[in-house]
C-alpha cells in the first residue's frame, strides 16, 4: 500500500526512500496535485452557477464566468468591486447579517435568497450559499460563495400567485361556480378546484364538495341524474376530446327548483392527465324570463288572431244587420203603405232585436280591442257635468218606457276630469242602462258628481273626482259581486227576461283602468246598487280650481324641467322595468351602467342629476360604489339614491348614514320612483 494513503504528512511518504526514489515520488505528488487543482479549476470555471472567493473585506478575489454572465460584468470589473456593490440596496442588511453570523461562529454556512443588480440595471434574483474558510491556525481567511440564478423561478412563482389570485377573484365575482375536475386511478372524479360560490349554488358546505365530487348529486333532480353521472365519468382512452355543454335541474332545500347550465373544456396536462375546466351558472331567471316572453308572444298572437276574427265577424254581421234594421225602420215609417197594428208590433220586435244584436257585436268588438291593446284613447280635459248630461239624455227614453225616475245631483260645471270623452260617455250610458234595466217598477236612478274628501289621499297619490250612479233596484249578493267583472257572466240574470250579454260591466271596468281611474261597487240585495267611477281631476280652462295632486306626488302630471338619471344595475330585467317606468317622464334621460366601475366612469363623464344605485353589483357593493363616487370632485352635490331588495331597517339606516339621500326597495314602487325623480327634476346644477 502507498505510504501516503496511511500517513498524515508528506514527510512520512519519503521515509526509507533513496534520493532518486524521493525525487520520483515528489514529482508524482506534484503531478497529482496539479491534476486535482485543474479539476477544481475546471469545476470552478465551467460550473453553471456563479462561484466566487470573497475576501474578508467583501471584495471579490476570484469569480467564475457564470457569475460574470449573471451580473453582466467582466472578471476584472467584478474583482474591483465588493459583494455589497452589486447587491440590491434593500438586501444589504442580509449581507451584513451573513458576514457577522459566519465570522462570530454562530453559523457555519449561510443560505438565503437575495437580489443582485445587473450591469444594465435589471434585478437578478439569486439563491446564495456562503461559507467562511479558516486557515491552519483557525483564523478567518476568506469566504466561498455559490450563487444560483432563480429569476425565472421567482417569475413563475409570481405568475402562479397572480393566477391563483385571478382565479379566486373570478370565483367571487363571476356568477356561478368555476371548477377544475380530474380523475383518480380508480376513474372517480374529484374537484381539483371549486370556487367559493359552491355553498350558494348547491347549499352544501364547500369542504364537502371539495372532498367528494359526487356529494352534489344529492341535489340533482332525479330525472337529470343520468346526465350528472355521465359528467363525472372520465373520457375513454383514444376518445376525441370536445367541449361539453350541459344543463340540468337541482332541488335545493331553501331555493327550491333551479336550472343550472354550464360548459366544460378538456385539457391534457403536462403529466398526460385529462382534466376538465368548467363553469356552471344558475339560469333559472333567464329560463323563466324566456318562458314568460314565449307565453306573452303566444298570448299576443292569440289575442291578435281573436281580434282579427272578431273584427271580420263584426263586419260580416253588421252588413246584413244594416239591411234588417234599415228595412224594418222603412216598413214602420212608410206612410204610403202603413202597416196594421199587428204588423207594426212585429216590425218593432225585429228592429229591437236587430238593435240588441248590434249592441252585442259592438260590445264584443270593444272588449276584444281592449284586451289586445288596440282600443285608441285620447285623454283630455273633459267637463264631467256636460258628459253626464249627455248620457242622461241618451237613456231618457229608456227610463221613461221602464217607468224609472232619473235624478241628477251633479256638481259645478267647471269640474273636469282627465278622460276620453267618447268612452266616458259610453261608461255612463252602460251604468245608467243597467241601473234602469235591473231596477224595480217605479224605482229611481240618481247620478252625482262629488270630489274626493279633503285630507283623504288616494291610493295612487292623485286627486280624483267621482261620477256616481245609484239605483233602487234588485241589488246583488256578496257572492254575485265577487264575479261582477267576469266576461259573459250575467250573475243569474240570464234566467230572466232582461236582455244582456254579461260583458258591459267588463268593458266599463277595463275602460276606467285605461283612463287611470278605478270603479267602486256597493250593493245590497233587494235594496239597490251604487257604482262610483273615480277619475283623475283635470285643471279647469278658466284657471280656477286646479288639478292639484293629493299629498305624496302625482304619477300622471310630471314637473317641468329635465333630469339625467344614471342607473347602476347588472340585472337586465330590472333595467327594463326602470326604463319603462321612466318613459312616463319624457323629459327624463336614463343612462345605464352595468357595473360599479362603469358607473364611476359614466358619472364622471356626464355628471347626471340623480344617481340610482343598486346595492349589489357584480364588481362591488353599493357602499363601495358610494365611496368611489364621493371621491370624484365633479360629482359633489349629486344626490345618490339606493335601490335594493334588502328592506331590512338596519341596511336602510346604514345606507342613509353613509350619505344616500333615499332608499328605494324592490319590488319597485312605481309611484315612489316617480316621486323621487320628480323631486329632483328641474333642480339647479343638474347635468
Amino acid at each position: 500500500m502507498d505510504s501516503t494513503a496511511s500517513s498524515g504528512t508528506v514527510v512520512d511518504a519519503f521515509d526509507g526512500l533513496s534520493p532518486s526514489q524521493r525525487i520520483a515520488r515528489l514529482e508524482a505528488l506534484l503531478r497529482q496535485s496539479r491534476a486535482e487543482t485543474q479539476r477544481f479549476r475546471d469545476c470552478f470555471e465551467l460550473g453553471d452557477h456563479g462561484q466566487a472567493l470573497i475576501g474578508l473585506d467583501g471584495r471579490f478575489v476570484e469569480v467564475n464566468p457564470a457569475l460574470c454572465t449573471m451580473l453582466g460584468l467582466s472578471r476584472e470589473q467584478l474583482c474591483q468591486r465588493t459583494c455589497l456593490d452589486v447587491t440590491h440596496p434593500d438586501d444589504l442588511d442580509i449581507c451584513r447579517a451573513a458576514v457577522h453570523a459566519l465570522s462570530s461562529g454562530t453559523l457555519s454556512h449561510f443560505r438565503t435568497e437575495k437580489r443582485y443588480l445587473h450591469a444594465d440595471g435589471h434585478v437578478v434574483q439569486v439563491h446564495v450559499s456562503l461559507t467562511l474558510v479558516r486557515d491552519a491556525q483557525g483564523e478567518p481567511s476568506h469566504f466561498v460563495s455559490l450563487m444560483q440564478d432563480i429569476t425565472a423561478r421567482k417569475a413563475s412563482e409570481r405568475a402562479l400567485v397572480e393566477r391563483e389570485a385571478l382565479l379566486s377573484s373570478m370565483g367571487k365575482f363571476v356568477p356561478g361556480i368555476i371548477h377544475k375536475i380530474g380523475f383518480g386511478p380508480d376513474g372517480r372524479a374529484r374537484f381539483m378546484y371549486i370556487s367559493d360560490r359552491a355553498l350558494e349554488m348547491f347549499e352544501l358546505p364547500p369542504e364537502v364538495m371539495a372532498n367528494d365530487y359526487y356529494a352534489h348529486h344529492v341535489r340533482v333532480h332525479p330525472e337529470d341524474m343520468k346526465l350528472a353521472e355521465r359528467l363525472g365519468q372520465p373520457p375513454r382512452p383514444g376518445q376525441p376530446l370536445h367541449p361539453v355543454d350541459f344543463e340540468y335541474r337541482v332541488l335545493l332545500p331553501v331555493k327550491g327548483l333551479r336550472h343550472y347550465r354550464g360548459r366544460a373544456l378538456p385539457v391534457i396536462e403536462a403529466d398526460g392527465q385529462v382534466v376538465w375546466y368548467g363553469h356552471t351558472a344558475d339560469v333559472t331567471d333567464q329560463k323563466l324570463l324566456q318562458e314568460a316572453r314565449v307565453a306573452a308572444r303566444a298570448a299576443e298572437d292569440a289575442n291578435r288572431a281573436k281580434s282579427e276574427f272578431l273584427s271580420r265577424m263584426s263586419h260580416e254581421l253588421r252588413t246584413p244587420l244594416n239591411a234588417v234594421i234599415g228595412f224594418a225602420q222603412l216598413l214602420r215609417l212608410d206612410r204610403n203603405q202603413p202597416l196594421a197594428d199587428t204588423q207594426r208590433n212585429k216590425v218593432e220586435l225585429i228592429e229591437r232585436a236587430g238593435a240588441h244584436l248590434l249592441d252585442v257585436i259592438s260590445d264584443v268588438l270593444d272588449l276584444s280591442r281592449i284586451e289586445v291593446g288596440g282600443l285608441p284613447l285620447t285623454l283630455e280635459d273633459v267637463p264631467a257635468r256636460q258628459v253626464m248630461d249627455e248620457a242622461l239624455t241618451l237613456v231618457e227614453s229608456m227610463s221613461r218606457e221602464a217607468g224609472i225616475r232619473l235624478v241628477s245631483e251633479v256638481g259645478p260645471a267647471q269640474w273636469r276630469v282627465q278622460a276620453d270623452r267618447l268612452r266616458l260617455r259610453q261608461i255612463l250610458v252602460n251604468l245608467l242602462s243597467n241601473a234602469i234595466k235591473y231596477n224595480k217598477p217605479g224605482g229611481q236612478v240618481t247620478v252625482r258628481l262629488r270630489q274626493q274628501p279633503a285630507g283623504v289621499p288616494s291610493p295612487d297619490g292623485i286627486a280624483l273626482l267621482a261620477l256616481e250612479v245609484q239605483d233602487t233596484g234588485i241589488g246583488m249578493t256578496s257572492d254575485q259581486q265577487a264575479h261582477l267583472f267576469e266576461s259573459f257572466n250575467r250573475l243569474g240574470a240570464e234566467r230572466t227576461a232582461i236582455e244582456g250579454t254579461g260583458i258591459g260591466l267588463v268593458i266599463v271596468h277595463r275602460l276606467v283602468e285605461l283612463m287611470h281611474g278605478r270603479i267602486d261597487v256597493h250593493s245590497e240585495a233587494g235594496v239597490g246598487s251604487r257604482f262610483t267611477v273615480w277619475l283623475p281631476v283635470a285643471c279647469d280652462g278658466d284657471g280656477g280650481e286646479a288639478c292639484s295632486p293629493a299629498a305624496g306626488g302625482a304619477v300622471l302630471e310630471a314637473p317641468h324641467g329635465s333630469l339625467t338619471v344614471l342607473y347602476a344595475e347588472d340585472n337586465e330585467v330590472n333595467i327594463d322595468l326602470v326604463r319603462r317606468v321612466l318613459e312616463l317622464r319624457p323629459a327624463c334621460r336614463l343612462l345605464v351602467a352595468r357595473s360599479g366601475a362603469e358607473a364611476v366612469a359614466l358619472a364622471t363623464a356626464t355628471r347626471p342629476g340623480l344617481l340610482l344605485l343598486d346595492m349589489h353589483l357584480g364588481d362591488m357593493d353599493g357602499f363601495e360604489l358610494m365611496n368611489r363616487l364621493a371621491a370624484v370632485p365633479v360629482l359633489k352635490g349629486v344626490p345618490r339614491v339606493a335601490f335594493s331588495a334588502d328592506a331590512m331597517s338596519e341596511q336602510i339606516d346604514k345606507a342613509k348614514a353613509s350619505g344616500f339621500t333615499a332608499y328605494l326597495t324592490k319590488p319597485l314602487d312605481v309611484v315612489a320612483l316617480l316621486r323621487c325623480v320628480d323631486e329632483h327634476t328641474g333642480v339647479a346644477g343638474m347635468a
Side-chain angles (χ1 to χ4, degrees):
M1 174 181 249
D2 196 328
S3 62
T4 58
S6 59
S7 175
T9 65
V10 176
V11 175
D12 295 337
F14 289 92
D15 288 345
L17 298 177
S18 64
S20 59
Q21 290 175 325
R22 290 183 179 185
I23 292 172
R25 176 58 61 87
L26 181 59
E27 289 177 348
L29 289 174
L30 288 174
R31 285 194 300 272
Q32 181 181 353
S33 176
R34 290 191 187 98
E36 291 177 352
T37 300
Q38 186 60 44
R39 284 196 297 273
F40 282 118
R41 169 59 64 181
D42 290 342
C43 290
F44 183 80
E45 293 292 334
L46 302 177
D48 293 333
H49 302 317
Q51 300 180 54
L53 301 179
I54 303 173
L56 297 178
D57 59 355
R59 187 173 298 279
F60 288 106
V61 176
E62 188 68 45
V63 296
N64 71 340
L67 182 59
C68 295
T69 302
M70 186 188 302
L71 298 179
L73 296 170
S74 66
R75 191 188 303 267
E76 292 74 16
Q77 289 173 321
L78 265 177
C79 289
Q80 294 174 4
R81 289 170 168 78
T82 67
C83 61
L84 298 180
D85 294 334
V86 296
T87 299
H88 192 282
D90 294 341
D91 294 344
L92 292 176
D93 290 341
I94 297 177
C95 292
R96 298 189 181 100
V99 172
H100 176 74
L102 292 171
S103 300
S104 63
T106 305
L107 296 175
S108 58
H109 301 283
F110 188 87
R111 295 180 177 85
T112 188
E113 291 182 2
K114 58 179 290 187
R115 290 165 292 178
Y116 281 149
L117 293 175
H118 192 275
D120 62 9
H122 80 264
V123 174
V124 181
Q125 297 271 359
V126 293
H127 182 275
V128 177
S129 176
L130 189 66
T131 303
L132 177 64
V133 178
R134 298 178 182 272
D135 59 18
Q137 289 73 37
E139 294 298 325
S141 173
H142 59 277
F143 295 100
V144 175
S145 181
L146 179 66
M147 301 87 158
Q148 180 183 359
D149 188 342
I150 59 173
T151 305
R153 191 190 82 189
K154 298 297 286 187
S156 298
E157 290 176 356
R158 285 194 301 272
L160 183 60
V161 170
E162 291 172 357
R163 179 185 176 189
E164 291 295 328
L166 175 61
L167 193 61
S168 177
S169 65
M170 289 177 63
K172 291 179 181 178
F173 297 119
V174 172
I177 57 173
I178 301 171
H179 43 77
K180 177 182 179 181
I181 300 172
F183 300 92
D186 57 356
R188 289 180 60 83
R190 62 187 179 90
F191 281 116
M192 303 175 70
Y193 173 83
I194 185 168
S195 59
D196 297 338
R197 290 182 180 260
L199 174 61
E200 175 186 334
M201 290 280 289
F202 291 97
E203 297 181 8
L204 289 171
E207 60 273 11
V208 171
M209 294 190 64
N211 295 330
D212 182 5
Y213 169 84
Y214 302 94
H216 72 283
H217 282 184
V218 71
R219 302 288 193 238
V220 176
H221 193 287
E223 296 178 3
D224 298 340
M225 183 59 70
K226 290 184 178 180
L227 170 62
E229 291 174 346
R230 286 201 301 270
L231 293 174
Q233 296 175 357
R236 294 189 298 271
Q239 177 185 3
L241 298 176
H242 303 286
V244 174
D245 296 308
F246 55 86
E247 183 175 332
Y248 58 87
R249 294 164 292 174
V250 296
L251 293 169
L252 304 179
V254 177
K255 295 181 180 179
L257 179 66
R258 310 297 292 178
H259 292 259
Y260 289 173
R261 181 185 300 156
R263 188 171 220 227
L265 300 174
V267 175
I268 301 177
E269 303 278 74
D271 59 0
Q273 296 291 326
V274 176
V275 298
W276 293 85
Y277 288 87
H279 173 252
T280 303
D282 187 336
V283 295
T284 306
D285 293 340
Q286 297 177 27
K287 291 185 71 68
L288 291 176
L289 179 60
Q290 182 179 4
E291 291 172 0
R293 286 174 174 169
V294 171
R297 283 196 296 269
E300 183 179 346
D301 292 342
N303 281 336
R304 186 181 298 108
K306 180 176 69 174
S307 178
E308 292 174 355
F309 170 76
L310 291 175
S311 179
R312 288 195 299 270
M313 290 303 297
S314 172
H315 178 268
E316 295 299 323
L317 291 172
R318 282 174 184 269
T319 300
L321 274 176
N322 182 58
V324 172
I325 297 173
F327 281 108
Q329 290 176 342
L330 286 175
L331 288 172
R332 179 171 56 84
L333 299 174
D334 191 348
R335 294 183 179 181
N336 294 325
Q337 297 178 337
L339 299 175
D341 290 342
T342 56
Q343 293 174 322
R344 180 182 296 275
N345 291 336
K346 293 176 182 178
V347 168
E348 288 177 351
L349 287 175
I350 295 173
E351 187 178 351
R352 281 202 299 270
H356 174 66
L357 184 56
L358 183 60
D359 289 340
V360 171
I361 294 171
S362 298
D363 285 347
V364 171
L365 183 58
D366 278 349
L367 180 60
S368 174
R369 295 171 70 191
I370 291 172
E371 288 179 345
V372 300
L375 185 69
L377 289 179
T378 302
L379 299 183
E380 57 184 347
D381 291 0
V382 176
R385 177 174 174 176
Q386 184 177 342
V387 177
M388 182 71 83
D389 290 341
E390 293 173 0
L392 287 170
T393 301
L394 290 173
V395 299
E396 186 177 357
S397 61
M398 179 182 180
S399 67
R400 187 168 51 253
E401 292 176 4
I404 304 299
R405 179 168 172 253
L406 296 179
V407 178
S408 177
E409 298 178 1
V410 295
Q414 67 266 28
W415 285 2
R416 306 168 76 85
V417 292
Q418 275 279 320
D420 182 292
R421 183 175 185 130
L422 178 62
R423 297 302 175 180
L424 178 57
R425 187 173 63 195
Q426 179 182 352
I427 291 170
L428 294 174
V429 168
N430 192 299
L431 294 177
L432 287 167
S433 299
N434 283 349
I436 294 170
K437 286 194 300 183
Y438 296 100
N439 217 313
K440 299 174 182 177
Q444 178 176 301
V445 175
T446 304
V447 295
R448 301 183 185 90
L449 290 179
R450 59 186 176 88
Q451 288 182 313
Q452 180 180 347
V456 180
S458 69
D460 297 326
I462 308 168
L464 302 175
L465 185 70
L467 297 88
E468 196 167 86
V469 177
Q470 184 173 0
D471 64 63
T472 58
I474 61 177
M476 294 177 288
T477 65
S478 57
D479 183 63
Q480 287 176 318
Q481 292 180 59
H483 302 278
L484 183 60
F485 298 114
E486 294 179 359
S487 299
F488 305 104
N489 188 343
R490 297 195 61 203
L491 308 178
E494 66 274 8
R495 294 187 294 271
T496 69
I498 303 174
E499 294 180 343
T501 61
I503 61 175
L505 284 178
V506 178
I507 294 173
V508 167
H509 186 251
R510 303 283 178 85
L511 288 175
V512 171
E513 287 184 336
L514 289 174
M515 290 188 283
H516 309 292
R518 75 174 192 273
I519 184 169
D520 296 337
V521 181
H522 176 77
S523 185
E524 186 176 348
V527 177
S529 303
R530 183 177 71 248
F531 288 79
T532 306
V533 175
W534 294 92
L535 292 174
V537 174
C539 301
D540 66 61
D542 300 326
E545 196 170 318
C547 56
S548 55
V555 174
L556 295 181
E557 295 295 329
H560 296 292
S562 62
L563 179 72
T564 297
V565 177
L566 173 58
Y567 181 31
E569 173 65 76
D570 56 3
N571 185 291
E572 292 297 329
V573 177
N574 292 338
I575 292 171
D576 186 55
L577 174 60
V578 170
R579 179 179 287 114
R580 292 180 182 273
V581 171
L582 294 187
E583 286 176 355
L584 297 173
R585 295 292 183 263
C588 183
R589 176 190 178 209
L590 179 64
L591 302 176
V592 176
R594 289 171 172 79
S595 68
E598 186 180 350
V600 174
L602 194 55
T604 303
T606 62
R607 194 184 188 276
L610 179 66
L611 293 165
L612 183 62
L613 310 177
D614 180 72
M615 297 300 287
H616 297 284
L617 297 169
D619 57 345
M620 64 183 75
D621 61 28
F623 296 106
E624 182 181 352
L625 177 56
M626 175 75 168
N627 293 333
R628 294 197 182 185
L629 292 170
V632 180
V634 73
L635 298 178
K636 183 178 181 181
V638 176
R640 299 158 177 81
V641 175
F643 189 28
S644 176
D646 188 347
M648 298 296 290
S649 58
E650 297 86 351
Q651 179 79 350
I652 296 174
D653 292 340
K654 180 182 177 182
K656 291 184 177 179
S658 300
F660 284 98
T661 57
Y663 195 103
L664 301 179
T665 58
K666 301 175 184 176
L668 175 63
D669 183 338
V670 174
V671 174
L673 176 58
L674 291 176
R675 184 185 303 123
C676 178
V677 170
D678 292 345
E679 289 172 353
H680 294 91
T681 299
V683 177
M686 293 190 307

